[in-house]
Amino acid sequence: MNFLNMSKEQYQRIPPEELNEYRSYTSALAIEGDRKSIVRDMVLQDPSISSADIMKKLGISAQELIEEYKSLQEDEEFQLAVDSPFYSRRLMFNVARTVVRDFASDPIYTARLAAGEPVSSRVVELHTTKGTCNYSCVMCLWSDKREKTYETKKMKGKGLMSLEEWENTLSSIHDLGAKVAVFSGGGEVLLNSDFFQLLDFSHNIGLKTQLYTSGYNMRGLSDYEWSQLLNMDRIRFSIHSPNDHTYNDIIKMPTKSNALLKVKENLSKLLRKRNATNSDLRVGIGFVIQPLNALEVEGIVDFAKNMGLDFLNIRRDEILVTNPLSAEDERQLREQLLRIRSGIVQGQYGQLEIDFSDNLTAFMNSEDYSLEKTANCVIKSSRPTVTPYGQWMPCDLKGEPMYADPNYVIGNLHDESVEEVLTNSQKITIPASCSSCMPSGQTGNAIFSKLLADYAQGIDFRDQPFY
């Protein structure tokens, strides 16, 4: 029996007569001095495996496991492995690193979170739009502008959030522990003329800010508005093709709009202003693979490198808004990705950081990729979303008309304070049973669940292998 590769469910189904054999097997390995190797392999295979599962499988105490975790913190070979572009859990491991280092630095916040008190997540996604967009992107999870809209999903309620309501929300999440406000979703943020005041307000109270945008509306900005963009931490342009024809097919804009040319001009202007100042702003691209652009992945890499960008996030259409790729497109996609990864290893792309989703890395490796679902979803505690109409949702997917569900509304900021909404959030349980879930949601949920369960078992964040 292959004990080490068992899932939690498989372990729980081991017949009683075989359980002693299993424990003897793992204990013998531990006695032989292989315990560190076993723990290392378990963590590499699934960073979200709970410490309770490892202790049960190996028949060791929490203190013995902590000793192995701490040895992994100092293990150079292990650290090289988890940072490798060949490791298909790299992004998950980095999420865990970020969380444990943050939580370890603020034990009071962590204790309040673990105790179920009304604290804000460190990151909150805010859809500070007018509920509209000039684009109609094929793969967008926002809205099809026909059947799945704020109107048809009955999400408009008491109307759009006002500037004052957004400012009150920003103040409250900051006071309750938030560190980052992500302005994204709900349409195009830059179509809201209040956006730059909200940025200014966010920066003045000490929030870090990020923006996801098409970049099309970044024209005719005042010096004040440019200065607010330059004060941000990160701006990601959604550019899903380096070619005008494909770009227009994806966004469904008329050719005469010269949309990609305008976006490139805006991007270049932002970079020039950034490079002429002491701004720490990082600028990059988000690229979603779909049938229309599946053969243009190397092209977007060259585009990003030539523009002098800082990062490029490459993902699949994870929630299947578009049609699946053909077998031939899959084959050619993999060949492109392998060439790009080879270029990363050889240092061909300079300052450009190319970031593949973990499932794309597994695809390149010809590995199966799957995450064991947790019983409940805890994304509400790591990255909830506020819609343009004030609904507080557990995640961005449920905040968009395409996937909105009234059963997932945690509260409404037209009627309740942020603290009241967070109090309610702590009382409700959200099952991890959604048919569609973003990879970042799946990864974040798995890691967050593991870390909170371990903390309840007495394993401090500083003792984790990610620290």
Side-chain angles (χ1 to χ4, degrees):
M1 183 177 292
N2 187 354
F3 295 116
L4 290 184
N5 291 324
M6 284 184 182
S7 68
K8 182 191 302 183
E9 289 75 17
Q10 288 172 319
Y11 174 82
Q12 290 170 343
R13 291 197 296 269
I14 297 176
E17 63 272 15
E18 295 182 20
L19 199 54
N20 287 337
E21 175 196 347
Y22 174 69
R23 288 172 177 159
S24 298
Y25 167 78
T26 53
S27 297
L29 285 175
I31 291 169
E32 291 169 8
D34 290 331
R35 189 170 68 195
K36 176 182 174 181
S37 297
I38 299 170
V39 172
R40 180 194 62 207
D41 291 346
M42 285 180 166
V43 172
L44 285 173
Q45 183 176 335
D46 180 10
S48 68
I49 185 172
S50 74
S51 294
D53 281 350
I54 297 177
M55 289 186 286
K56 184 181 289 186
K57 287 184 175 183
L58 297 185
I60 60 177
S61 68
Q63 188 54 47
E64 287 172 318
L65 179 57
I66 288 171
E67 289 173 9
E68 302 303 344
Y69 278 173
K70 284 186 171 293
S71 72
L72 291 178
Q73 294 176 7
E74 306 299 325
D75 187 327
E76 291 184 10
E77 184 179 286
F78 176 79
Q79 297 301 327
L80 286 172
V82 298
D83 287 330
S84 167
F86 296 88
Y87 177 46
S88 60
R89 295 291 188 273
R90 186 178 62 85
L91 291 187
M92 177 185 279
F93 200 95
N94 282 332
V95 168
R97 270 182 178 153
T98 300
V99 174
V100 297
R101 291 172 182 175
D102 173 44
F103 283 4
S105 71
D106 193 346
I108 295 176
Y109 170 86
T110 305
R112 293 188 64 201
L113 174 66
E117 295 183 29
V119 295
S120 172
S121 56
R122 292 306 212 186
V123 179
V124 180
E125 184 167 316
L126 305 171
H127 294 181
T128 56
T129 71
K130 295 299 183 182
T132 188
C133 184
N134 358 41
Y135 286 11
S136 299
C137 296
V138 174
M139 75 295 153
C140 187
L141 60 84
W142 167 55
S143 166
D144 61 7
K145 291 190 174 181
R146 298 183 304 276
E147 298 176 1
K148 298 175 181 178
T149 68
Y150 291 115
E151 186 77 42
T152 62
K153 289 296 188 81
K154 296 180 170 49
M155 295 177 70
K156 289 193 170 183
K158 294 184 178 180
L160 292 164
M161 291 270 283
S162 67
L163 174 62
E164 182 180 6
E165 285 175 314
W166 280 122
E167 288 180 343
N168 288 339
T169 300
L170 288 163
S171 287
S172 295
I173 63 173
H174 174 262
D175 292 345
L176 290 165
K179 290 187 173 182
V180 181
V182 177
F183 296 95
S184 166
E188 172 54 54
V189 177
L190 292 178
L191 289 174
N192 183 358
S193 59
D194 291 339
F195 170 62
F196 295 99
Q197 288 176 260
L198 291 174
L199 269 189
D200 197 356
F201 186 87
S202 300
H203 297 150
N204 284 335
I205 63 175
L207 283 170
K208 294 183 177 180
T209 56
Q210 299 180 9
L211 169 65
Y212 294 0
T213 176
S214 70
Y216 181 78
N217 300 285
M218 203 177 283
R219 297 170 66 82
L221 301 183
S222 67
D223 289 342
Y224 164 76
E225 291 168 334
W226 280 114
S227 71
Q228 291 309 314
L229 293 179
L230 294 174
N231 283 335
M232 299 190 78
D233 290 89
R234 176 183 168 101
I235 297 178
R236 191 180 80 181
F237 285 67
S238 295
I239 301 178
H240 304 289
S241 174
N243 302 311
D244 294 295
H245 179 73
T246 308
Y247 187 87
N248 286 332
D249 283 348
I250 290 173
I251 68 170
K252 297 187 179 302
M253 287 275 277
T255 304
K256 64 182 181 181
S257 67
N258 292 318
L260 182 57
L261 176 62
K262 290 176 181 176
V263 170
K264 287 168 65 177
E265 290 173 348
N266 296 339
L267 182 51
S268 295
K269 187 170 184 178
L270 176 64
L271 290 169
R272 287 197 303 272
K273 287 181 175 291
R274 190 274 305 269
N275 296 340
T277 67
N278 293 321
S279 171
D280 293 324
L281 171 67
R282 286 174 53 78
V283 182
I285 288 175
F287 179 89
V288 176
I289 299 166
Q290 53 199 286
L292 288 171
N293 67 10
L295 305 185
E296 299 181 354
V297 184
E298 287 175 298
I300 200 68
V301 170
D302 291 339
F303 178 94
K305 178 186 175 184
N306 294 336
M307 290 293 296
L309 297 178
D310 302 306
F311 64 88
L312 169 62
N313 300 148
I314 301 176
R315 306 287 186 266
R316 283 186 183 271
D317 171 11
E318 306 291 356
I319 50 176
L320 305 179
V321 177
T322 60
N323 294 322
L325 300 186
S326 68
E328 177 59 20
D329 281 352
E330 289 280 356
R331 185 188 68 78
Q332 293 194 48
L333 170 63
R334 184 169 181 271
E335 290 181 353
Q336 290 179 88
L337 295 174
L338 288 171
R339 287 193 291 269
I340 293 167
R341 185 164 67 178
S342 177
I344 293 172
V345 173
Q346 295 170 30
Q348 292 179 5
Y349 304 116
Q351 71 175 26
L352 178 66
E353 294 180 8
I354 302 173
D355 201 49
F356 301 111
S357 59
D358 283 343
N359 59 358
L360 278 179
T361 301
F363 172 60
M364 285 185 268
N365 296 347
S366 297
E367 299 172 5
D368 289 332
Y369 182 86
S370 62
L371 296 176
E372 288 191 31
K373 277 195 171 184
T374 58
N376 299 316
C377 180
V378 294
I379 287 299
K380 62 175 183 165
S381 298
S382 61
R383 185 167 169 161
T385 294
V386 183
T387 75
Y389 297 94
Q391 292 100 343
W392 189 286
M393 308 297 283
C395 67
D396 58 341
L397 211 61
K398 294 302 181 188
E400 305 284 19
M402 186 75 76
Y403 290 96
D405 184 334
N407 295 318
Y408 286 81
V409 177
I410 295 173
N412 194 303
L413 296 180
H414 284 312
D415 306 315
E416 304 162 89
S417 69
V418 170
E419 187 165 2
E420 288 171 331
V421 171
L422 290 173
T423 299
N424 184 49
S425 180
Q426 293 293 348
K427 295 176 182 177
I428 64 174
T429 299
I430 299 175
S433 57
C434 297
S435 58
S436 294
C437 183
M438 297 288 280
S440 58
Q442 296 176 45
T443 296
N445 188 52
I447 285 297
F448 221 71
S449 297
K450 177 242 181 355
L451 294 175
L452 291 180
D454 285 5
Y455 184 77
Q457 291 269 334
I459 297 180
D460 189 79
F461 299 105
R462 290 181 175 82
D463 296 329
Q464 291 284 353
F466 321 109
Y467 185 70

